[in-house]
Amino acid sequence: MSRIDCDQALAHLQDYLKRELTEDLVVEVRDHLERCQHCFSSARFEESFFLMLETRARRETCPGELRARILAALRAEARGD
Amino acid sequence: MAEPTEAGRSFDDEALPHLDALYRVALRLTADPSQAEDLVQDTMLKAYRSWRQYRPGTNAKGWLLTILRNTFINDYRRRKHEPIAMDLEAVEPHALYRSMQESDPEGTFFSQIVDDKVLEAIDALPPDFREVLALSDIEGMTYSEIADTMKIPVGTVKSRLFRARRQLQAELYSHAVEMGYIQARESRT
C-alpha cells in the first residue's frame, strides 16, 4: 500500500477527526500524522475549529416562552381543539 | 397526549429533549428568530400528528430534523431571498488555508472570536453549506444521518462540509486579522 502524501492527508483530515473514514484510511492518515509535523499541526488547527463550533455555536437554547407555547399547542391538539 | 409507543415512550419523552437542537437548526435555516420559532412549532405539531409513523428506538432527533427540514423547504424557503453560493475556487482556499496556518498554526484565534460573530459568520454561508455544517459540526449528526435527512449521497455531504468549513474558516480568519487577534502572514507556498 502506497503511503499518502500531505495533500491527500489534508483532504482526509476533517473526516479523520470526525471518525468518518474507513479503517484503511484511518491507518493511512494516522501514520502520516506521526511522520509529518506540518500535517500534525493542521490537525490541531482543525480540532480548534471543531471545538469552537461544538461549544460556541451550541449555546442557544429554545426560549422558555416558545417551549410553553409548543406545549400548549400540543395539549390543544391532544384534546382535539 | 399521543399514546405511548409499544416501547412505552411517549411523544414528550422522545421529542421534547430535542427542542434546543431543533431551535438552533431552525435559526440557521431561516436566519430569522421569529420564523425559527414558527418553524419549530409547526415541526412539533406535524411530528405529533405523525407520531405513529415513528419507529421506537430509531433516531428521534434525525426524524424530527427531517420533518423540520421538509417543513422549511415547503413552507418557508420561498419567503426570502437567499445569498447566492459564492465561487469558492476564486478564493483559493488552499493558499488561504496555508497562510492561516502560518499565522496561527494551532488555530488559537478561533477561541478568541465572540459567540455572536461565530454565529453571524455561519449565517452568512450559502444555505446548503450552512445546513450541513449545522447538522454535522454543531448538532453532531453523522454523515450518513445527514445524507438520510437531506436525501443526498454521503459523498455530497462530505464535499459540501469540506467547502463549508474552509469558507467559514476563511471568514473567521479575516475577522480575527481585522480585530487584531492575529497578524496576517503571507503564505510562502
Side-chain angles (χ1 to χ4, degrees), chain B residues 37-49:
Chain B
E37 295 204 0
D38 291 346
L39 176 56
V40 174
Q41 180 163 348
D42 288 352
T43 300
M44 289 297 281
L45 280 171
K46 280 189 189 173
Y48 182 82
R49 287 172 195 144

Side-chain angles (χ1 to χ4, degrees), chain A residues 8-70:
Chain A
Q8 290 169 302
L10 214 53
H12 291 305
L13 202 48
Q14 296 176 348
D15 300 334
Y16 171 79
L17 294 171
K18 287 286 176 190
R19 301 179 190 286
E20 291 277 1
L21 287 185
T22 58
E23 193 51 44
D24 288 0
L25 275 170
V26 168
V27 172
E28 292 275 342
V29 174
R30 195 193 296 133
D31 285 353
H32 184 88
L33 292 180
E34 283 170 10
R35 287 182 281 116
C36 176
Q37 180 62 40
H38 198 267
C39 288
F40 182 77
S41 165
S42 298
R44 299 285 298 269
F45 183 91
E46 297 290 351
E47 276 177 325
S48 301
F49 174 71
F50 286 141
L51 183 68
M52 174 201 73
L53 287 176
E54 280 159 24
T55 54
R56 322 284 295 290
R58 283 191 70 147
R59 287 187 189 157
E60 291 162 307
T61 55
C62 179
E65 201 185 303
L66 174 60
R67 190 178 289 267
R69 182 145 56 88
I70 289 170

Side-chain angles (χ1 to χ4, degrees), chain B:
Chain B
M1 292 267 72
E3 284 164 28
T5 58
E6 285 162 30
R9 300 275 290 171
S10 70
F11 179 80
D12 282 14
D13 294 337
E14 290 277 4
L16 294 182
H18 302 297
L19 270 182
D20 289 340
L22 291 174
Y23 179 66
R24 281 192 297 266
V25 174
L27 278 175
R28 302 286 81 76
L29 289 177
T30 61
D32 178 307
S34 85
Q35 271 199 24
E37 295 204 0
D38 291 346
L39 176 56
V40 174
Q41 180 163 348
D42 288 352
T43 300
M44 289 297 281
L45 280 171
K46 280 189 189 173
Y48 182 82
R49 287 172 195 144
S50 49
W51 176 233
R52 285 175 182 284
Q53 290 162 32
Y54 172 72
R55 288 183 313 256
T58 57
N59 182 351
K61 188 177 179 179
W63 181 70
L64 291 165
L65 284 168
T66 303
I67 296 172
L68 180 114
R69 175 167 202 278
N70 291 340
T71 306
F72 172 72
I73 289 170
N74 293 330
D75 304 340
Y76 289 74
R77 188 179 260 182
R78 270 167 270 139
R79 289 190 199 171
K80 71 191 277 259
H81 295 289
E82 287 288 1
I84 294 156
M86 93 192 224
D87 184 2
L88 256 196
E89 303 313 314
V91 188
E92 295 178 55
H94 197 70
L96 188 62
Y97 187 69
R98 286 292 178 210
S99 71
M100 269 192 265
Q101 274 223 308
E102 288 184 19
S103 305
D104 187 349
E106 308 217 328
T108 49
F109 76 88
F110 287 124
S111 66
Q112 288 176 274
I113 300 170
V114 298
D115 292 9
D116 283 354
K117 189 68 207 178
V118 174
L119 295 172
E120 195 183 299
I122 294 168
D123 290 345
L125 293 171
D128 287 347
F129 285 8
R130 209 192 297 155
E131 185 173 14
V132 284
L133 191 102
L135 295 179
S136 168
D137 298 353
I138 303 175
E139 303 306 335
M141 290 175 77
T142 66
Y143 293 1
S144 84
E145 286 169 350
I146 296 169
D148 285 350
T149 299
M150 295 180 68
K151 297 182 181 62
I152 53 176
V154 172
T156 308
V157 173
K158 273 194 185 204
S159 65
R160 271 190 205 172
L161 272 173
F162 187 79
R163 288 152 65 209
R165 288 161 180 160
R166 280 288 181 272
Q167 190 166 329
L168 181 61
Q169 288 169 344
E171 194 65 42
L172 294 172
Y173 172 72
S174 310
H175 173 71
V177 171
E178 228 170 79
M179 297 296 285
Y181 299 148
I182 44 170
Q183 298 285 312
R185 204 181 291 179
E186 287 299 313
S187 175
R188 282 169 306 215
T189 49

